[in-house]
Amino acid sequence: ALSQRLIGNKENGMENGIRKIRDYSPEELMVYPGIGPVKAAQILAAMEIGARANSDRRRVRQTQIRSPDDAICLLETDMLALPREELRIVLLDVRNRVIRISRVSEGGLSSAVIHPRELFREAIRANAAAMILAHNHPSGDASPSAEDLETTRRLIEAGQMMGIQVIDHIILASGGSLSLKRTGLI
């Protein structure tokens, strides 16, 4: 009931809605019965967290991948510090703009199991035209294994059959990241 009163508050005959709450001061929130200093701080903190998360999603969605470096910059911050190998896919529209980034699998210290059906299911759900594979090497060495290369080739072939282009495979490591496309390995 308190939330409904707060969201449905009318000011100058207009409903403020949830977005307006972010602009309130703690004192303005404490006008409502049931909201004290602690609750006001919690509400404002929750609004700020939501706004930042939404902003990050919007920023990612507006990113256009023009080169392997763009993909590396997009993924490095989140993936370099991971303690285990993780495979993510960057799903792209027809103009190579990021639709979303999805974690497909998580593995051990030296490998991540890749299930092609999971990978392509995500791409189909997002109506992606293309994707970039990315995984990290916690060892710090970005050198691709024979398994990395063979799996990438198989996924490229599967993508061709499904009409979803696998345009690159990025390996992220603290010792330097690399693009299989740039190095000529795919």
Side-chain angles (χ1 to χ4, degrees), residues 8 20 41 46 48 51 56 61 71 73 77 85 95 99 113 131 148 173 179-180 184:
K20 183 68 175 163
E48 183 63 25
D56 285 348
R61 274 190 234 137
C73 286
T77 304
E85 263 199 32
R95 292 190 176 127
I99 297 170
V113 178
M131 74 169 73
D148 289 339
S179 154
L180 295 185

Side-chain angles (χ1 to χ4, degrees), residues 93-163:
D93 66 13
V94 295
R95 292 190 176 127
N96 283 351
R97 291 179 304 208
V98 175
I99 297 170
R100 74 171 173 256
I101 301 168
S102 297
R103 185 176 79 172
V104 178
S105 72
E106 184 178 348
L109 295 174
S110 63
S111 68
V113 178
I114 299 172
H115 297 288
R117 89 178 145 222
E118 300 297 324
L119 186 130
F120 286 103
R121 180 182 303 136
E122 287 294 317
I124 291 166
R125 281 184 185 156
N127 200 26
M131 74 169 73
I132 297 170
L133 306 170
H135 79 280
N136 63 311
H137 281 178
S139 67
D141 180 9
S143 302
S145 67
E147 184 181 347
D148 289 339
L149 297 172
E150 180 57 31
T151 300
T152 302
R153 284 189 198 100
R154 285 192 356 250
L155 292 172
I156 289 170
E157 289 172 7
Q160 288 170 341
M161 287 190 297
M162 300 185 76

Side-chain angles (χ1 to χ4, degrees), residues 65-76 168 170 179 182:
I65 304 296
R66 294 184 176 97
S67 71
D69 290 331
D70 292 341
I72 290 169
C73 286
L74 183 66
L75 297 163
E76 259 184 342
D168 203 350
I170 304 292
S179 154
R182 180 184 287 150

Side-chain angles (χ1 to χ4, degrees), residues 28 54-55 62 76-77 90 97 103 108 116 134 173-174 180:
E28 289 172 314
N54 193 37
S55 173
Q62 293 171 352
E76 259 184 342
T77 304
V90 180
R97 291 179 304 208
R103 185 176 79 172
S174 59
L180 295 185

Side-chain angles (χ1 to χ4, degrees), residues 32-72:
Y32 292 90
I35 298 180
V38 173
K39 182 67 71 181
Q42 289 172 333
I43 291 169
L44 293 175
M47 294 300 296
E48 183 63 25
I49 290 168
R52 288 182 186 189
N54 193 37
S55 173
D56 285 348
R57 274 191 295 256
R58 223 178 297 122
R59 179 188 52 79
V60 166
R61 274 190 234 137
Q62 293 171 352
T63 301
Q64 186 173 29
I65 304 296
R66 294 184 176 97
S67 71
D69 290 331
D70 292 341
I72 290 169

